[in-house]
Amino acid sequence: MKILVTGAAGFVGRNLVENLKNIRDGKNRTRPNLSIDAIYEYDRNNTLEELNQFCSDCDFIFNLAGVNRPQDPKEFKEGNFGFASTLLDTLKKHGNKCPVMLSSSLQATLAGRFGTSEYGLSKRDGEELFFRYAAETGATVFVYRFPNLVGKWVRPNYNSAVGTFCNNIANDLPITVNDPSVELEMLFIDDLIDEMYDAMEGKPHRAEYPKTGEVIDGVEYDGLTPQPKADGRYCYAPVTHKATLGRIVERLHTFHDQPQNLIMPAIPNGSFEKKLYSMYLSYLPKEKVAFDLKMNCDDRGSFTELLKTADHGQFSVNISKPGITKGQHWHNTKWEFFIVVAGHGLIQERKIGTDEVIEFEVSGEKIQAVHMLPGYTHNIINLSETENLVTVMWANEIFDSSHPDTFFEPV
């Protein structure tokens, strides 16, 4: 399959092209039904002669080219309708009826606050052009009405509030939020790309857009929400996230503060927080990519907290110098894992109130996780005379100095 991507230098285009390359080059094997032989990238720097060549040879087209921040509103029509017309005319010239995807916008619904949107009107005209082309030629068109598109490489201070917030907070720049209660619907780039793969495989998610106030199966629609329908005229990406500006900014400040407090917030798989965190990190300046951790050092070695989580405890690393014994304490309900990753040591545990001692000889040559049992006093001894003992530790709770649950007692 030979793919043409117009608007290839834009936010969606860059992400899509790089991920298409992963499939082409066999790096991404999650879509075995897709075989890509060539990727044609078309943008403003290309010529119409190149477009003519690409249109004669391609098997699938992603039309992402468009204008969303022109100096003159007239450019909406030219960028969102004029180029689409040129593209389709070129395909007709070559008799190429390959599937064509169109990147449109929810603003094309002209619902609610979008009722007088010049951008929305130009996108609506582009949609109708594609539908007429499909009726005339029999070609398959996939018309997607996207909400706010977000993710890595979104251009800040342009047309994405989320991109601006990520960039400014990551770089300690001020932000302005006029109304924290305003809610955004966001489509993250990785979810968009998954849907593009589905379209290439001929199984896009289809829908209709019921009018504002229309009730279907007991659901009242707002004019902006797609109604899934197998034979729907439009296509949509099924995974989006809604959040208020206030929540977005609050989450971003949490991510910003993580290097200082070491607390990693809950980021469940597929969650808005997980995707937003990934987006935020893509804006970090070089000087923030690495940050120092506080090493608590003494003549025995060092102890460093690495990471704390909201609900899954904390991680630390302990370095013991040759011959040193550390620990010699017990807990009521706290438990830990000791994982020696370098050196040679001995872990001892004794049940409180008894003389029973259990021992585990540990080494970086054979990495094991050893439970520190509640109600057992425990220690770790560096058996080497020359090498440090390096132990990664996990505790089931963040250390609380007001309730440490840690009591000295030699094993």
Side-chain angles (χ1 to χ4, degrees):
M1 183 182 291
K2 297 175 182 178
I3 311 297
L4 168 58
V5 180
T6 72
F11 160 57
V12 177
R14 288 177 61 202
N15 277 276
L16 179 60
V17 166
E18 294 305 320
N19 280 280
L20 291 175
K21 289 177 182 178
N22 286 337
I23 292 181
R24 180 196 64 188
D25 300 339
K27 299 174 183 177
N28 180 351
R29 300 178 183 177
T30 63
R31 297 281 179 155
N33 295 329
L34 293 180
S35 177
I36 298 176
D37 302 307
I39 302 168
Y40 301 136
E41 302 178 43
Y42 183 87
D43 212 272
R44 297 177 185 222
N45 294 328
N46 294 94
T47 64
L48 290 178
E49 288 77 12
E50 289 174 298
L51 180 65
N52 183 67
Q53 176 187 345
F54 297 156
C55 285
S56 70
D57 197 38
C58 61
D59 303 304
F60 195 104
I61 298 175
F62 291 101
N63 183 36
L64 309 176
V67 173
N68 51 29
R69 274 294 181 92
Q71 293 182 345
D72 185 338
K74 293 179 181 178
E75 295 178 40
F76 278 133
K77 189 76 171 180
E78 179 183 345
N80 296 327
F81 181 86
F83 175 77
S85 181
T86 299
L87 172 68
L88 298 181
D89 285 345
T90 307
L91 288 173
K92 283 191 283 188
K93 181 179 76 171
H94 292 286
N96 187 345
K97 299 180 182 179
C98 72
V100 187
M101 171 268 178
L102 172 66
S103 173
S104 187
S105 166
L106 276 184
Q107 293 194 36
T109 61
L110 303 180
R113 66 183 187 277
F114 302 135
T116 58
S117 166
E118 290 285 347
Y119 176 68
L121 287 167
S122 67
K123 284 294 190 181
R124 171 71 73 89
D125 289 344
E127 292 178 356
E128 293 304 322
L129 179 68
F130 268 67
F131 289 133
R132 289 196 299 270
Y133 169 78
E136 177 185 345
T137 65
T140 299
V141 298
F142 304 122
V143 176
Y144 282 88
R145 288 176 163 177
F146 292 134
N148 295 280
L149 300 179
V150 295
K152 66 182 184 299
W153 305 339
V154 162
R155 179 178 170 184
N157 302 304
Y158 182 60
N159 67 338
S160 170
V162 182
T164 300
F165 293 160
C166 284
N167 175 77
N168 288 19
I169 292 174
N171 289 276
D172 297 311
L173 299 173
I175 63 170
T176 300
V177 181
N178 294 321
D179 185 353
S181 67
V182 170
E183 185 177 69
L184 295 184
E185 180 180 8
M186 291 159 283
L187 172 57
F188 283 88
I189 191 62
D190 292 345
D191 295 321
L192 184 155
I193 288 173
D194 279 342
E195 177 62 22
M196 297 301 94
Y197 292 157
D198 286 343
M200 291 172 65
E201 292 178 345
K203 53 179 185 181
H205 292 82
R206 289 195 171 272
E208 294 289 352
Y209 283 85
K211 295 180 179 179
T212 303
E214 188 173 350
V215 178
I216 301 175
D217 296 329
V219 177
E220 182 176 348
Y221 283 83
D222 58 4
L224 299 170
T225 302
Q227 178 205 11
K229 196 173 183 181
D231 60 349
R233 193 184 195 203
Y234 299 93
C235 300
Y236 75 106
V239 180
T240 63
H241 299 269
K242 292 183 179 181
T244 63
L245 295 179
R247 179 186 173 197
I248 294 168
V249 170
E250 185 274 330
R251 292 287 79 193
L252 291 174
H253 281 300
T254 299
F255 306 154
H256 172 276
D257 294 343
Q258 194 278 331
Q260 285 74 51
N261 58 33
L262 300 183
I263 297 176
M264 181 64 64
I267 47 173
N269 190 36
S271 67
F272 166 70
E273 283 75 13
K274 182 178 181 181
K275 297 171 186 179
L276 184 65
Y277 209 152
S278 294
M279 179 179 177
Y280 166 80
L281 290 175
S282 71
Y283 292 88
L284 282 184
K286 177 182 177 181
E287 59 269 21
K288 287 191 177 184
V289 174
F291 58 93
D292 293 335
L293 297 172
K294 181 184 177 183
M295 297 180 65
N296 300 287
C297 302
D298 58 26
D299 56 3
R300 301 174 303 159
S302 67
F303 178 81
T304 306
E305 293 181 322
L306 302 178
L307 178 69
K308 301 176 182 180
T309 70
D311 52 6
H312 288 87
Q314 72 174 56
F315 296 85
S316 308
V317 63
N318 180 75
I319 299 176
S320 299
K321 292 182 179 180
I324 291 297
T325 298
K326 285 190 175 183
Q328 306 286 48
H329 59 241
W330 64 281
H331 316 290
N332 281 302
T333 56
K334 180 189 293 186
W335 76 89
E336 301 162 298
F337 281 124
F338 283 9
I339 305 168
V340 169
V341 296
H344 179 208
L346 179 69
I347 294 173
Q348 297 178 315
E349 301 185 55
R350 176 176 62 81
K351 188 175 184 180
I352 294 300
T354 76
D355 296 326
E356 176 190 355
V357 176
I358 55 178
E359 297 184 334
F360 304 91
E361 191 169 348
V362 287
S363 167
E365 299 298 318
K366 182 183 178 182
I367 296 178
Q368 296 176 301
V370 182
H371 286 95
M372 299 300 106
L373 304 173
Y376 280 69
T377 186
H378 49 271
N379 64 25
I380 183 165
I381 305 168
N382 187 347
L383 298 178
S384 173
E385 297 180 356
T386 57
E387 296 181 359
N388 286 342
L389 181 68
V390 182
T391 308
V392 175
M393 299 177 171
W394 173 83
N396 71 313
E397 61 186 40
I398 295 177
F399 179 74
D400 180 359
S401 59
S402 65
H403 186 71
D405 189 18
T406 301
F407 310 97
F408 174 77
E409 184 167 335
V411 174

